[in-house]
Amino acid sequence: MTQTQSPSLSGKNRRIAMMAGFMGLGMLGMGYAAVPLYEIFCRVTGYGGTTQRVGEAQAATVQAIDRTMSIRFDSNVNSALPWSFKPENPVDRVSVGARDMAIYIAKNESTEPVVGTATFNVTPVQAGKYFNKVQCFCFTEQLLRPGQMMRMPVLYYVDPAIMDDPETRDIKEITLSYTFYRSKDGKALDPAESGS
């Protein structure tokens, strides 16, 4: 003897299945949105050593103060990228609030064109929200031909507000660290597109 489901039970099962499907799609969507949302959160708050990004006009309004700080420049290359990468000067002493420039030098040590992308962080992490980059090569795909060397500038300043924050006013040194990775798509860009 077989039992048949009542129409009301079959409708409930369909609604539950649809709700579960929508919840699954919603969670998938949130998974994709999590990375950009987290990046926005870090940029706004400086959480995790994320620096602030400012334009020339805003940077021009900042006045230097009578306090200096050491800025250390660190460089790393992922093992999948056949490049050498280093700062031209590993340490700089700057006036807080004054714009300064650091130069990193990258060289393709392979026999083929390779595209790389850099990420960065700042330590101590509390200083991230006060370290402002006006110009930077990070998150931009860089094409280097075999044996090609490229100088990559970073224009930055330390916001004088760092002196007003009880968590950061005693900081005497900030480290800006970059890590270069092989570009995810692995395609060599046209030199005109890469800005070379």
Side-chain angles (χ1 to χ4, degrees):
M1 203 175 193
T2 60
Q3 291 184 331
T4 59
Q5 287 186 331
S6 71
S8 64
L9 185 57
S10 176
K12 285 182 184 178
N13 286 345
R14 229 175 293 151
R15 280 194 301 266
I16 291 171
M18 286 177 59
M19 285 182 7
F22 284 130
M23 285 178 60
L25 286 173
M27 290 190 303
L28 182 65
M30 288 302 290
Y32 279 107
V35 172
L37 290 174
Y38 182 72
E39 184 178 338
I40 291 167
F41 169 77
C42 289
R43 286 182 192 271
V44 170
T45 64
Y47 181 77
T50 302
T51 64
Q52 304 301 303
R53 195 77 194 242
V54 298
E56 286 282 347
Q58 182 180 345
T61 65
V62 177
Q63 298 295 316
I65 62 173
D66 190 25
R67 165 85 190 270
T68 59
M69 188 173 287
S70 289
I71 309 297
R72 183 170 299 281
F73 302 101
D74 180 50
S75 59
N76 303 284
V77 179
N78 180 272
S79 61
L81 184 67
W83 288 10
S84 59
F85 176 61
K86 64 182 182 180
E88 195 169 62
N89 297 308
V91 181
D92 198 2
R93 190 128 187 101
V94 300
S95 294
V96 173
R99 281 190 285 178
D100 203 42
M101 183 185 301
I103 303 288
Y104 280 83
I105 300 169
K107 183 178 181 186
N108 182 353
E109 305 287 353
S110 77
T111 57
E112 61 184 26
V114 182
V115 178
T117 306
T119 61
F120 66 91
N121 72 339
V122 168
T123 53
V125 295
Q126 301 92 324
K129 62 184 173 183
Y130 300 109
F131 194 93
N132 294 277
K133 290 190 298 179
V134 181
Q135 178 186 337
C136 177
F137 54 85
C138 52
F139 301 119
T140 303
E141 289 187 326
Q142 306 288 338
L143 169 66
L144 292 181
R145 303 242 176 251
Q148 181 184 2
M149 186 165 53
M150 182 184 290
R151 293 169 48 101
M152 301 178 179
V154 179
L155 187 59
Y156 68 93
Y157 69 91
V158 178
D159 190 328
I162 196 169
M163 305 309 304
D164 300 328
D165 186 336
E167 291 186 17
T168 59
R169 66 176 160 224
D170 294 328
I171 291 174
K172 296 188 179 6
E173 181 177 273
I174 295 174
T175 300
L176 175 62
S177 180
Y178 284 95
T179 302
F180 252 104
Y181 297 89
R182 185 182 282 267
S183 182
K184 285 185 181 177
D185 62 14
K187 291 187 283 189
L189 300 176
D190 179 66
E193 293 176 1
S194 70
S196 300

